Amino acid sequence: MAAPPVLRDIFNAYQNQLGEEDDGFLFEDEQGPISRLDVVVYRPRSGADMTSFATIGMAAKEMPAAPGPGGGGRAELHLRRRGPLTRSEEHAIAVRLADLAVHPFVTGTQLNWGHMIGFREDFPTFSGCRAVFLAGPLSAEGLDYVHTSAGAVRVINVVPITDAERERGRGLPPVDFARSLLEHADIFAERPQ
């Protein structure tokens, strides 16, 4: 079955912004809320020491509009991790991103910039980080939206956070919390224990 036009638009936008992916992981579930989700991987290249992950497939459907303002719409997830990873580490991160991508459709709640989601265990390769902060662009050149034939698709940056960071984030507006994370931690790497 051919990919919906919105997903082809996202794939093309990623190609233009990030180049050709180095690898990817495919998750299929015909009975699931998202029948197909790809997590593409961009490995570190000369001058850049980041491994980047991006989902393609979450935006095939609009998210639920509740709770809170600005909900609904379409979105895709991005995550950056400092340094090269093994293929098994890449796979573990891709699995967690796939789980997060179906979260709004399973729970009936949206994912949006400023939200925090907790997990029972550490986020893969981010020891001590049992939650994620969902952020907008983390740099001036970061994507905020991908413009597609189905409208704007929000890019949600997944930032693993520690319990202490999550507690601090509960008392700050999301923009201030994102700024404090960028100022006080290397959010793209495992935190010192």
Side-chain angles (χ1 to χ4, degrees), residues 2-126:
V6 63
L7 300 184
R8 286 195 305 272
D9 294 344
I10 290 166
F11 175 79
N12 290 332
Y14 288 177
Q15 292 277 304
N16 290 337
Q17 173 84 12
L18 305 168
E20 187 171 335
E21 73 276 5
D22 295 302
D23 207 344
F25 299 92
L26 171 63
F27 302 91
E28 292 182 294
D29 182 357
E30 288 301 321
Q31 307 307 313
I34 299 174
S35 60
R36 177 189 171 126
L37 181 83
D38 290 277
V39 179
V40 293
V41 180
Y42 302 89
R43 295 188 177 117
R45 300 200 167 120
S46 62
D49 66 346
M50 295 286 187
T51 301
S52 298
F53 298 81
T55 63
I56 303 173
M58 185 178 172
K61 296 170 64 174
E62 289 201 25
M63 289 187 291
R74 299 173 194 269
E76 293 289 354
L77 305 174
H78 285 196
L79 180 135
R80 295 174 72 199
R81 174 67 162 89
R82 188 167 308 288
L85 300 168
T86 66
R87 185 142 183 7
S88 65
E89 290 171 328
E90 291 174 352
H91 180 261
I93 290 172
V95 167
R96 184 58 57 88
L97 290 176
D99 289 343
L100 197 54
V102 300
H103 177 81
F105 306 104
V106 171
T107 64
T109 59
Q110 61 171 294
L111 293 182
N112 207 344
W113 297 339
H115 289 182
M116 290 186 277
I117 307 284
F119 302 107
R120 293 175 201 242
E121 64 277 333
D122 291 348
F123 196 94
T125 78
F126 288 88

Side-chain angles (χ1 to χ4, degrees), residues 173-188:
V175 171
D176 293 343
F177 180 52
R179 187 177 303 113
S180 78
L181 284 173
L182 290 167
E183 290 172 357
H184 296 102
D186 182 355
I187 62 170
F188 306 113

